[in-house]
Amino acid sequence: MKKKFIMGIGIALATMFIFSGCGNKTSASTNKAKKDLVVYTPLEEDQVNEYLQGYKKMHPEIDVKIVRDSTGVITSKLIAEKDNPKADLVWGLAATSLLTLDNKNMLEPYAPKGVENIQDKFKDKGDTPKWVGIDVFEAGITVNKEELKRKNIPVPNSFEELTRPEYKGLITMPNPASSGTGYLTVAGMLQVFGEEKGWSYLDKLHENIANYTHSGSKPAVLSAKGEYPIGISLAYRGIKEKTKGSPVEVIFPKEGLPWDLEANALIKKSDIKSEAKEFLDWAISDDIMKVYQKNYPIVSIKGDFSLPNEYPKDALDKLVKNDFVKSAKDREGTLDKWTKKYDSKSEPKK
């Protein structure tokens, strides 16, 4: 009887141990700590919030830590951290900036799932690409027609016309040292006009500039408000202002559209996370491309992505011939020269 009693206690304790162990396993799996993913991006805050909605539903276990700033600041920050990288990946940075990082051996080659669906001119040429584009951002001229009419000044149709004396003090454009749109504009003009004529053109344009903003979209907003009637800015931001009812027109200049790519890349570091690669897979998927197109109509993926009615049907043909390698190689020198010549008219940094 005593033996049976002892055996019963033993079985009971063993059973308690087994169920206790199962309970701990269940608890551990449901309360698993989130994994961190550090993403550097110049994408606008409202865009980031919208874009990430789908990703967070797919990956609730990932804590995406966004570090957001302008293109110039993000690029400088990454270079400063070269020997001790904090970022796991870069999302939506200008391709010219990524090439600058690549020249410093800071990018890890990675071919995201679906990379074969990206148009060749919108991704790195390597067998295993170091960067992959997601969409095109291009500079146009946003003009407040009512303000110009009130001043009895004609609407400009080209970059060249912006140097006319009647436009003095009426134009804003982004600072290329802080804005990706600003740099693509300057680099595009230097490629369109040629180096010597390009700087001569920028000298003349500077005479008519009221101020240089630190945001690529701000000149379009200022034009819509009538504060400065002409803004060299993101073309699609001007179109968005028009759809809100602002009396603006977006001019696609005769010389063509300076442009760059928002692109993604994996940062070279000792502890590359599989989650970073999975994020880059998601970041070029069909679903997110449809969301990107709400902000930038020309996306990098192959397929039937129709342009808004406000865009010319030949918008792709209007993109100027862009030498990304040259733009990246010349970036530091171009920005130094631009800053010395024109920075006096830049708006104060916050």
Side-chain angles (χ1 to χ4, degrees):
M1 188 74 177
K2 188 174 183 181
K3 284 183 180 181
K4 286 183 180 180
F5 177 73
I6 293 172
M7 285 178 65
I9 292 176
I11 292 169
L13 288 172
T15 303
M16 286 173 64
F17 176 78
I18 290 170
F19 277 101
S20 175
C22 290
N24 286 339
K25 284 182 181 179
T26 303
S27 176
S29 63
T30 55
N31 296 317
K32 186 168 58 177
K34 280 196 170 189
K35 297 179 180 178
D36 290 344
L37 191 61
V38 180
V39 178
Y40 281 22
T41 183
L43 298 173
E44 298 292 340
E45 187 175 351
D46 58 339
Q47 294 172 359
V48 171
N49 292 336
E50 181 182 17
Y51 295 166
L52 280 180
Q53 287 179 16
Y55 178 82
K56 288 180 176 179
K57 287 179 182 177
M58 292 171 58
H59 295 283
E61 77 284 4
I62 306 296
D63 184 11
V64 181
K65 297 185 180 299
I66 295 290
V67 177
R68 216 223 122 250
D69 215 312
S70 66
T71 296
V73 172
I74 287 292
T75 305
S76 297
K77 185 175 177 63
L78 286 162
I79 292 171
E81 295 172 354
K82 178 179 183 294
D83 296 329
N84 185 25
K86 304 291 192 299
D88 293 309
L89 63 97
V90 184
W91 180 29
L93 188 64
T96 46
S97 288
L98 288 175
L99 278 164
T100 299
L101 301 180
D102 188 29
N103 289 338
K104 298 179 182 295
N105 196 31
M106 294 174 60
L107 303 182
E108 181 73 20
Y110 176 63
K113 292 177 183 176
V115 72
E116 66 278 2
N117 297 323
I118 302 296
Q119 298 180 56
D120 289 342
K121 64 181 176 180
F122 295 148
K123 61 186 174 186
D124 178 37
K125 300 286 190 288
D127 292 336
T128 302
K130 292 183 179 178
W131 57 267
V132 177
I134 55 177
D135 51 47
V136 172
F137 59 111
E138 70 286 333
I141 306 171
T142 300
V143 177
N144 189 307
K145 297 181 295 181
E146 288 187 0
E147 283 298 308
L148 289 187
K149 184 178 180 180
R150 189 174 63 81
K151 296 176 184 294
N152 197 28
I153 298 175
V155 172
N157 290 303
S158 68
F159 285 124
E160 188 69 54
E161 290 179 11
L162 294 180
T163 62
R164 292 178 179 176
E166 58 261 39
Y167 299 121
K168 187 176 181 65
L170 303 181
I171 305 170
T172 62
M173 72 169 275
N175 180 323
S178 53
S179 163
T181 306
Y183 184 66
L184 75 87
T185 301
V186 170
M189 288 173 176
L190 292 176
Q191 293 192 45
V192 166
F193 294 114
E195 195 75 15
E196 185 177 343
K197 289 183 178 179
W199 284 109
S200 177
Y201 167 78
L202 290 170
D203 286 342
K204 295 173 185 175
L205 179 65
H206 178 68
E207 293 300 313
N208 286 351
I209 293 289
N211 67 55
Y212 298 101
T213 68
H214 296 295
S215 160
S217 60
K218 188 173 181 178
V221 176
L222 293 172
S223 175
K225 291 179 178 178
E227 293 183 32
Y228 297 99
I230 302 172
I232 301 172
S233 186
L234 286 171
Y236 198 51
R237 184 53 189 256
I239 288 171
K240 280 195 164 185
E241 294 299 322
K242 182 179 179 179
T243 60
K244 293 178 184 177
S246 297
V248 297
E249 196 68 47
V250 177
I251 308 301
F252 291 80
K254 292 179 181 178
E255 296 90 347
L257 297 172
W259 63 285
D260 204 335
L261 278 169
E262 290 191 323
N264 310 329
L266 193 62
I267 296 297
K268 185 186 290 291
K269 56 194 304 188
S270 58
D271 55 338
I272 292 176
K273 300 173 183 175
S274 60
E275 292 81 11
K277 294 181 178 181
E278 289 170 359
F279 186 98
L280 293 175
D281 295 343
W282 164 83
I284 63 165
S285 62
D286 285 357
D287 287 344
I288 190 59
M289 283 287 174
K290 292 173 184 175
V291 189
Y292 293 149
Q293 205 192 24
K294 294 179 182 179
N295 294 298
Y296 299 102
I298 303 175
V299 289
S300 62
I301 198 168
K302 300 171 186 175
D304 184 21
F305 286 90
S306 58
L307 294 173
N309 293 332
E310 297 86 352
Y311 265 61
K313 292 181 180 179
D314 60 346
L316 277 170
D317 297 329
K318 287 185 178 294
L319 299 177
V320 301
K321 187 176 180 181
N322 214 346
D323 187 340
F324 282 136
V325 174
K326 177 175 171 53
S327 292
K329 181 182 176 183
D330 295 347
R331 186 176 188 275
E332 188 173 340
T334 297
L335 293 179
D336 284 346
K337 186 173 181 177
W338 187 95
T339 300
K340 288 174 184 175
K341 289 169 74 71
Y342 314 126
D343 195 45
S344 61
K345 286 189 178 181
S346 290
E347 65 181 2
K349 290 185 178 179
K350 294 180 180 180

